[in-house]
Amino acid sequence: MGVGRSYCVALVGLNGYIVEVEADIGQTLPNFVILGLPDAALNEAKERIRSAAQNSGIPLSRRKITANLIPASLPKRGSGFDLAITMAVLRAAEDIRSTGETVFIAELGLDGRLRPVRGILPAVMAAVQAGYSDVVVAEANAPEASLVPGANVRGYKTLARLAFDFGADPKELALDYDPLCEDVPDDGGDAAVVPDLCDVSGQAEARRALEVAAAGGHHMLLTGPPGAGKTMLAERLPGLLPDLADTAAMEVTAIHSLAAVQSSAVRLVRRPPFENPHHSATAAAIIGGGSGLPRPGAASRAHRGVLFLDEAPEYERRVLDALRQPLESGELVIHRSAGTAAYPARFQLVLAANPCPCGKASGKGMDCTCTAMMRRRYFGRMSGPLLDRVDIQLQVERVSLADFGQAGGEEDTRTVATRVLAARHRQLERLANLGLETNSQVPGRTLRGELKLPSGTTRILDTALERGALTARGYDRVLRLAWTLADLGHSKMPDSDHIGQALGLRHTAAAA
């Protein structure tokens, strides 16, 4: 007997690394040892593998079995290594032929069936990128794994059938056993019902701000009394966004696969996601974390979509401030004792807040029972550096009776989304050579360089910066808003009117 080898993938965040599995059968007393920094779930694989092999008709050797996962310095976690270890052990015992450079990713049940694991899409992507195109997964994971271009995916229900295809003796195998495997659910994907913008009565200024945010990828803060429509507006923002391109769709689907948002994807996620966590959510739930290697949170699940924080002042301040990094970089780097994980997090942030704890400090505010100190303390839970990164800050007033009584007079989502898509195309034509997609991504260096506007156009903006009404970061964000307004207005470049409108969109809430 020699050393058996197979391959698997270890995920650290969304990054996958090929793991070579070595198996050796010694001459000492029966034992099963797994080396290479396995976690508790992986250490439990020993019992799963023994039972699965026994019930499949290919029992493991009674001698000492040593499985080594290379590189040994890379932490390994989860049950996805079960099948690769099993195949390496069977090869060491010469029960099957060489598996070559095939990658095996599946969990084993005690009865010998192959069970799906989460994170299969990023794992197969990593295998293909490393040059390992042949991949074996559980049958329930096969549709998702097949989404990766260049992957030669084979799905199996049972270990016995897999061992037979790799040369095991059919006389001993339990090939007549065909367990019932759950069908891969069709999650509906793009067929999900999208809330329509025509449901929002009145709020012409807020609807216009929502269109600007969608067109340029800008962050928003909506401040106003309860019932003004802040949540309705935020929920309709994803419907205005264009479908995701292939690369972006692959990124989003990979994150959702790793986060187990859906049991197994059967198609790429083409619509921008929408995440709406409760205000009691912890930093680990929003940013990502957990025991061992960090897992993605709501901010990463909202990648290429919308992260909506309703009642934003009710969140812990440290949770809100933790969003400052991804708002600038579009990425979350989470450090834990078990390792560091990086997740993409280029989302649109939408904050909704009442003007005070009782929510009645709107308009004349005659019914408000809050003191001035209570109002400042409540709204002050959102730090200045965070709000400085929010492009649009809008006061949403109560809907008037005249607007509320109208029916069918508002534009629907499809009409507004058409204008948004046209504006996005104009941005791509202008920014493609810079490797950018939307105005919100344009760095200040470019705004003051290649896209510099005449001094006469930016006079009002220069005055605001000189008086301290704007920070340097705020100056750049107003310029980005102005470019988006110009794109929506079919203008080649912003004029002074666009600058004034952009400045108004940024300061409306602060002034209210």
Side-chain angles (χ1 to χ4, degrees):
M1 297 183 182
V3 174
R5 287 183 174 83
S6 65
Y7 296 91
C8 195
V9 176
L11 288 175
V12 180
L14 277 186
N15 298 319
Y17 303 90
I18 288 293
V19 173
E20 181 181 349
V21 182
E22 293 181 331
D24 177 72
I25 299 178
Q27 301 297 325
T28 56
L29 294 176
N31 197 3
F32 199 150
V33 180
I34 298 178
L35 309 175
L37 292 184
D39 69 344
L42 182 49
N43 258 322
E44 292 173 352
K46 295 179 286 189
E47 303 306 322
R48 290 194 297 270
I49 290 172
R50 281 198 182 278
S51 296
Q54 179 70 38
N55 292 324
S56 297
I58 42 173
L60 301 185
S61 171
R62 294 292 183 179
R63 300 174 182 175
K64 180 179 180 181
I65 299 173
T66 304
N68 184 33
L69 310 182
I70 304 172
S73 59
L74 181 69
K76 324 294 189 310
R77 59 176 297 167
S79 57
F81 293 86
D82 290 6
L83 186 58
I85 295 175
T86 303
M87 297 302 285
V89 172
L90 294 178
R91 174 54 188 164
E94 298 182 352
D95 289 329
I96 60 173
R97 66 172 184 270
S98 173
T99 59
E101 294 187 343
T102 303
V103 175
F104 300 91
I105 311 172
E107 177 184 332
L108 286 177
L110 299 183
D111 55 0
R113 77 176 121 177
L114 273 57
R115 303 190 62 85
V117 295
R118 62 183 179 183
I120 197 69
L121 185 65
V124 176
M125 289 171 59
V128 172
Q129 291 170 3
Y132 296 79
S133 59
D134 292 331
V135 183
V136 170
V137 299
E139 189 174 70
N141 274 149
E144 181 179 339
S146 299
L147 296 174
V148 180
N152 179 22
V153 178
R154 287 179 288 170
Y156 286 87
K157 285 186 177 181
T158 65
L159 175 62
R161 177 57 61 181
L162 174 61
F164 172 76
D165 286 352
F166 277 91
D169 187 357
K171 297 178 181 179
E172 303 295 333
L173 295 174
L175 294 175
D176 57 339
Y177 173 60
D178 188 16
L180 294 175
C181 289
E182 300 84 355
D183 293 333
V184 179
D186 187 349
D187 58 6
D190 301 340
V193 177
V194 178
D196 202 297
L197 193 58
C198 66
D199 297 334
V200 180
S201 300
Q203 302 295 7
E205 186 179 8
R207 292 165 62 92
R208 173 62 173 172
L210 199 70
E211 180 179 346
V212 174
H218 304 288
H219 309 302
M220 294 184 69
L221 166 64
L222 302 174
T223 306
K230 304 184 297 294
T231 301
M232 287 186 69
L233 287 164
E235 290 174 344
R236 281 145 182 81
L237 178 57
L240 302 180
L241 301 177
D243 288 344
L244 301 177
D246 290 344
T247 302
M250 190 67 74
E251 291 175 355
V252 173
T253 309
I255 294 173
H256 287 199
S257 172
L258 185 62
V261 175
Q262 47 196 357
S263 57
S264 185
V266 295
R267 62 170 67 93
L268 291 178
V269 177
R270 289 293 182 181
R271 293 301 305 152
F274 179 77
E275 289 290 327
N276 181 14
H278 192 261
H279 60 75
S280 62
T282 63
I286 301 293
I287 304 302
S291 60
L293 291 173
R295 304 201 66 81
S300 292
R301 296 196 302 272
H303 178 59
R304 303 286 185 174
V306 177
L307 176 63
F308 175 47
L309 303 185
D310 200 4
E311 305 293 343
E314 299 294 344
Y315 287 81
E316 293 184 23
R317 180 160 180 166
R318 67 187 186 94
V319 174
L320 294 175
D321 285 341
L323 295 172
R324 286 152 56 179
Q325 177 201 3
L327 288 181
E328 291 288 345
S329 64
E331 184 181 47
L332 274 167
V333 182
I334 309 171
H335 298 268
R336 294 292 185 271
S337 59
T340 301
Y343 296 106
R346 190 169 296 282
F347 54 83
Q348 280 186 252
L349 177 65
V350 179
L351 303 171
N354 294 326
C356 66
C358 75
K360 298 179 181 180
S362 176
K364 295 182 179 180
M366 300 298 292
D367 297 330
C368 179
T369 59
C370 304
T371 64
M373 179 61 71
M374 291 171 63
R375 297 177 189 175
R376 285 197 297 269
R377 184 181 297 118
Y378 177 77
F379 207 81
R381 295 176 186 176
M382 296 182 291
S383 66
L386 173 65
L387 293 181
D388 200 32
R389 290 168 166 83
V390 179
D391 304 14
I392 299 174
Q393 301 180 19
L394 188 70
Q395 176 72 17
V396 182
E397 299 295 348
R398 295 184 186 276
V399 181
S400 67
L401 179 60
D403 289 332
F404 191 71
Q406 291 180 353
E410 309 292 357
E411 289 184 316
D412 60 9
T413 292
R414 179 177 298 180
T415 302
V416 180
T418 301
R419 294 199 297 267
V420 168
L421 183 60
R424 286 283 183 110
H425 285 323
R426 282 188 282 276
Q427 293 171 54
L428 282 175
E429 292 176 2
R430 182 174 62 250
L431 303 175
N433 61 334
L434 301 176
L436 304 175
E437 299 176 357
T438 60
N439 289 327
S440 63
Q441 301 172 5
V442 180
R445 180 182 65 258
T446 303
L447 291 170
R448 295 183 294 274
E450 301 175 42
L451 301 180
K452 183 177 177 61
L453 300 177
S455 57
T457 302
T458 61
R459 184 176 294 113
I460 184 176
L461 200 55
D462 297 336
T463 302
L465 180 64
E466 186 69 22
R467 292 178 177 176
L470 274 181
T471 64
R473 181 189 290 116
Y475 186 100
D476 291 340
R477 291 190 177 276
V478 173
L479 286 177
R480 294 167 185 159
L481 274 174
W483 276 102
T484 301
L485 288 166
D487 290 328
L488 286 170
H490 302 272
S491 300
K492 291 185 177 181
M493 62 188 304
D495 55 25
S496 56
D497 288 340
H498 293 133
I499 295 291
Q501 293 177 42
L503 195 57
L505 284 173
R506 183 168 177 81
H507 279 168
T508 304

